Amino acid sequence: MGGPGLSRIGQISLNARDFDRAVTFYRDVLGLPFLFTAPPHLAFFDCDGVRLLLDMPEDKEFDHPGSILYFTVDDINAMHQTLVSRGVTFRKGPHLIAKLADREVWMAFFNDTEGNTLALMAEPRI
């Protein structure tokens, strides 16, 4: 197929209920690089080239739960321990989701301070 098409995702938005609390969580607890803020309540972070926007939506049309964000990590157990040491509570520790021919798929789910579901994801080669 020729012509214009979609490419990589440039930005993902998550809702926040308490702006300062959410910024602190993503910047200080998760350790995401903070980019900038914009009025009225927008904060931007860098997720390896994809911008993450925290937003306190004023329009009820946009005030709803978002998708689950899966953060790819090399060592899921080490990152799990790091986040636990920073006060993150996981629903369940890292666990095997699937064993494929060349790799395993591991996940660990947790919530941010605003009720959004996040996950760690690792796919170590076997």
Side-chain angles (χ1 to χ4, degrees), residues 8-12 33 35 45-52:
R8 74 177 185 89
I9 293 174
Q11 181 169 291
I12 296 172
L35 296 173
F45 298 84
D46 177 47
C47 296
D48 198 23
V50 176
R51 206 166 44 210
L52 174 64

Side-chain angles (χ1 to χ4, degrees), residues 16-89:
R17 304 269 179 244
D18 180 315
F19 185 73
D20 293 332
R21 177 181 67 194
V23 168
T24 298
F25 180 81
Y26 281 86
R27 182 191 60 219
D28 300 340
V29 176
L30 296 186
L32 293 178
F34 175 76
L35 296 173
F36 60 94
T37 59
H41 289 57
L42 306 173
F44 298 86
F45 298 84
D46 177 47
C47 296
D48 198 23
V50 176
R51 206 166 44 210
L52 174 64
L53 160 64
L54 296 181
D55 181 19
M56 290 183 63
E58 296 176 1
D59 187 341
K60 292 203 182 280
E61 173 186 356
F62 295 106
D63 191 9
H64 55 76
S67 298
I68 299 172
L69 296 186
Y70 294 82
F71 291 97
T72 302
V73 297
D74 292 327
D75 185 337
I76 195 168
N77 290 310
M79 183 54 74
H80 173 260
Q81 287 303 314
T82 297
L83 293 181
V84 166
S85 75
R86 294 177 184 168
V88 174
T89 301

